[in-house]
Amino acid sequence: MSHQTGLRRGRRAATATLIAAAAAVALTACDAGAGTQGAGSGSGAGSSASSAAPSSAGSSAGAENGGNGGSGGQDASQSASQGATQGTSKAPAGAGGATVAQTASARTAASASSDTSANRCTADELGLRLGREDVGAGNIHIPLVFTNKGKSACTLTGFPGVSLIQRDGQMIGKPATREGAAGKPVTLKPGGSAYAVLHTIQDGLKDTPCWKSPYLLQTYPPGSKEAMTLRTSSPRVCGGEFTVTALEPGTGL
């Protein structure tokens, strides 16, 4: 009995040892798994950090490229800057153009008859148009018609100032010179008209070349300080001949 009891005790001890060994192995495996998992977590954090880093680097690179590739942006800003510079460089020309236009207006106004009468027709009371062109014997005559748009009668006396203007505001040639006598005051009732005749000649009659066709006709009624303009390509002055008569009643030819 004692022998069998010893065997049993030996077996139990061996079994206990095996169980303890198995438990130790399992515990080691668990620790290793946890370490690996921790390492994995650390690796995941590292990979997140490294994936974020390239992204930041990419952003930095993008920013650098934006700074360079701002070759595109830089070129665009340079183009915009150049455009602004060009726009600025045109400003003096615009200012010069305005000065030229003012000079043209002053010369046109100076060519009109003076009229200080209290009931003279003002520019804002008048309508303006060109009448039918009359061509004959190498001459071209065109009525310049003023119509009273106001509610009361007014008068026009003498010569209007007339000049031809190109698109940039510069005068073409010179203002029309006066032709004939000054005439008498013309009273315009509401709706009534008066006219002056513009005169030039046909191309080829003189060696003097023709002027450019106008973009605008500018005129100052007698005594007016305000200009009136008419969009027209007529008359095209040739031979250096450009005259205007004094105002008469009616609408002309």
Side-chain angles (χ1 to χ4, degrees):
M1 291 290 294
S2 58
H3 178 68
Q4 290 178 349
T5 301
L7 288 174
R8 288 175 183 170
R9 287 178 179 173
R11 288 173 184 170
R12 287 176 183 170
T15 302
T17 301
L18 288 172
I19 291 171
V25 170
L27 182 61
T28 303
C30 287
D31 289 342
T36 305
Q37 196 170 12
S41 300
S43 167
S47 94
S48 297
S50 65
S51 65
S55 174
S56 299
S59 299
S60 300
E64 288 177 2
N65 287 340
N68 293 335
S71 85
Q74 197 172 10
D75 291 345
S77 64
Q78 283 177 353
S79 298
S81 172
Q82 289 173 354
T85 304
Q86 289 173 354
T88 305
S89 69
K90 291 178 183 177
T99 303
V100 168
Q102 289 171 358
T103 302
S105 295
R107 291 177 62 192
T108 308
S111 67
S113 296
S114 60
D115 184 358
T116 57
S117 60
N119 65 334
R120 69 174 178 81
C121 300
T122 60
D124 58 355
E125 295 175 321
L126 296 170
L128 181 68
R129 66 181 177 87
L130 289 177
R132 180 177 58 84
E133 185 176 290
D134 179 59
V135 181
N139 293 291
I140 301 172
H141 296 93
I142 306 174
L144 179 64
V145 183
F146 297 87
T147 301
N148 183 4
K149 300 188 302 180
K151 296 181 179 180
S152 58
C154 60
T155 62
L156 290 172
T157 306
F159 298 88
V162 183
S163 61
L164 304 175
I165 307 296
Q166 57 190 30
R167 187 183 289 269
D168 62 3
Q170 294 189 60
M171 182 185 293
I172 303 169
K174 59 184 181 180
T177 56
R178 298 177 182 182
E179 179 182 344
K184 297 179 180 180
V186 179
T187 300
L188 303 182
K189 294 180 180 180
S193 297
Y195 73 97
V197 178
L198 303 177
H199 171 243
T200 188
I201 62 174
Q202 290 182 308
D203 188 12
L205 294 181
K206 288 187 177 181
D207 293 335
T208 306
C210 295
W211 298 354
K212 296 178 181 178
S213 294
Y215 180 73
L216 292 173
L217 182 147
Q218 182 185 66
T219 184
Y220 282 79
S224 177
K225 294 182 179 179
E226 296 180 357
M228 301 178 68
T229 56
L230 184 66
R231 174 72 183 91
T232 179
S233 58
S234 181
R236 180 170 179 254
V237 173
C238 293
E241 296 281 340
F242 185 38
T243 63
V244 59
T245 65
L247 287 153
E248 300 179 47
T251 57
L253 307 170

